[in-house]
C-alpha cells in the first residue's frame, strides 16, 4: 500500500500533508495500531505549478503519478466536459508533452519512480510517446490493457525513444498527429 496526495500545487502544500500524515501515525502509535512506517508517500502531478517545481517536490516524495487528464485540462485551460471547448482538449499538444517530459525527468533525476494515470496511458498513439519519455508505469482501465500490452510488445524502447524525438520536433498539435 502506498499513499498518494492529489492536486499538490506546491512544496508547502506537500509538507502540510506530510505533517498530517505524521500526526495520524502518532495517533496510531498511541492506540497500538500497526502500520508500515516505511510506506511510500508520493503525489499526483496534475497542475502545471507542480511540474514547474517538480525537482523540489521529487526530493520529498517516494514517487510521482502524473494525472494526465487534469494536467492537460489545466495546462490548456480547457474544460473537457464543456461541449463548446472540449474539442480543444488535446493530449498531444506540444506544450503538454513537454510538461510531462519535464516531470518525468525531474522524478528520475531524484531517483523516484514516475507513473502515468489517465486516458493518455490507454491511447495507442500516446502510449509509445510516454514510454519513450521513460515512464515507469502506465495505469489504465482493465479493458485497455490487452491492446496496450500488444502494442508495447510490438515496439522496442529504442523505437519509442526515436518516435518521441520526432514528436518533440513538432511545433503544433497538427504536426504531432501527422
Amino acid at each position: 500500500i502506498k499513499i498518494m496526495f492529489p492536486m499538490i500545487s506546491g512544496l508547502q502544500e506537500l509538507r502540510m500533508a506530510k505533517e498530517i500524515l505524521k500526526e495520524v501515525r502518532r495517533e496510531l502509535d498511541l492506540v497500538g495500531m500497526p502500520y508500515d512506517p516505511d510506506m511510500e508517500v508520493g503525489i499526483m502531478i496534475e497542475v502545471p505549478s507542480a511540474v514547474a517545481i517538480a525537482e523540489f517536490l521529487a526530493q520529498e516524495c517516494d514517487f510521482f503519478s502524473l494525472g494526465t487528464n487534469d494536467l492537460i485540462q489545466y495546462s490548456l485551460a480547457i474544460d473537457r466536459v464543456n461541449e463548446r471547448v472540449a474539442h480543444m482538449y488535446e493530449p498531444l499538444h506540444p506544450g503538454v508533452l513537454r510538461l510531462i517530459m519535464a516531470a518525468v525527468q525531474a522524478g528520475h533525476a531524484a531517483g523516484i519512480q514516475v507513473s502515468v494515470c489517465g486516458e493518455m496511458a490507454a491511447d495507442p498513439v500516446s502510449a509509445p510517446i510516454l514510454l519513450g519519455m521513460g515512464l515507469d508505469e502506465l495505469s489504465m482501465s482493465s479493458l485497455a490493457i490487452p491492446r496496450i500490452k500488444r502494442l508495447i510488445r510490438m515496439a522496442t524502447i529504442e523505437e519509442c525513444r526515436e518516435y518521441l524525438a520526432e514528436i518533440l520536433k513538432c511545433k503544433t498539435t497538427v504536426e504531432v498527429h501527422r
Side-chain angles (χ1 to χ4, degrees), residues 11-177:
L11 192 54
Q12 190 59 37
E13 213 173 19
L14 172 59
R15 289 177 176 165
M16 287 171 39
K18 288 175 79 174
E19 264 318 300
I20 293 169
L21 179 59
K22 279 185 189 176
E23 288 176 31
V24 170
R25 287 178 171 172
R26 282 193 290 271
E27 290 173 13
L28 291 173
D29 287 339
L30 285 174
V31 297
M33 181 76 68
Y35 63 91
D36 180 0
D38 298 320
M39 184 182 318
E40 290 185 23
V41 177
I43 64 170
M44 181 77 84
I45 301 276
E46 301 170 273
V47 294
S49 63
V51 176
I53 60 164
E55 65 183 288
F56 305 130
L57 294 168
Q59 294 170 8
E60 299 195 23
C61 291
D62 296 315
F63 65 91
F64 281 167
S65 180
L66 304 178
T68 56
N69 295 348
D70 286 331
L71 184 60
I72 295 162
Q73 178 170 313
Y74 299 133
S75 299
L76 300 178
I78 299 299
D79 181 358
R80 65 183 183 258
V81 295
N82 181 331
E83 59 189 52
R84 291 183 181 173
V85 294
H87 66 280
M88 297 171 70
Y89 177 87
E90 186 51 67
L92 297 178
H93 185 288
V96 169
L97 295 176
R98 282 169 174 69
L99 285 171
I100 293 169
M101 184 81 169
V104 172
Q105 290 172 336
H108 286 166
I112 66 172
Q113 195 170 40
V114 183
S115 63
V116 72
C117 166
E119 293 173 25
M120 267 185 96
D123 175 47
V125 175
S126 300
I129 295 170
L130 297 171
L131 292 173
M133 290 181 186
L135 276 145
D136 301 300
E137 292 179 1
L138 301 176
S139 175
M140 65 196 73
S141 74
S142 59
L143 295 175
I145 292 172
R147 178 176 54 171
I148 298 302
K149 190 174 181 179
R150 189 170 36 257
L151 178 85
I152 290 170
R153 287 181 173 163
M154 292 170 47
T156 67
I157 198 67
E158 188 54 42
E159 289 171 328
C160 291
R161 287 183 185 133
E162 289 171 11
Y163 182 49
L164 172 66
E166 289 302 310
I167 295 294
L168 291 176
K169 292 176 187 174
C170 298
K171 298 175 186 163
T172 68
T173 306
V174 172
E175 290 177 21
V176 172
H177 282 283

Side-chain angles (χ1 to χ4, degrees), residues 2-17:
K2 299 178 183 181
I3 293 177
M4 180 170 59
F5 298 120
M7 287 291 173
I8 296 295
S9 63
L11 192 54
Q12 190 59 37
E13 213 173 19
L14 172 59
R15 289 177 176 165
M16 287 171 39

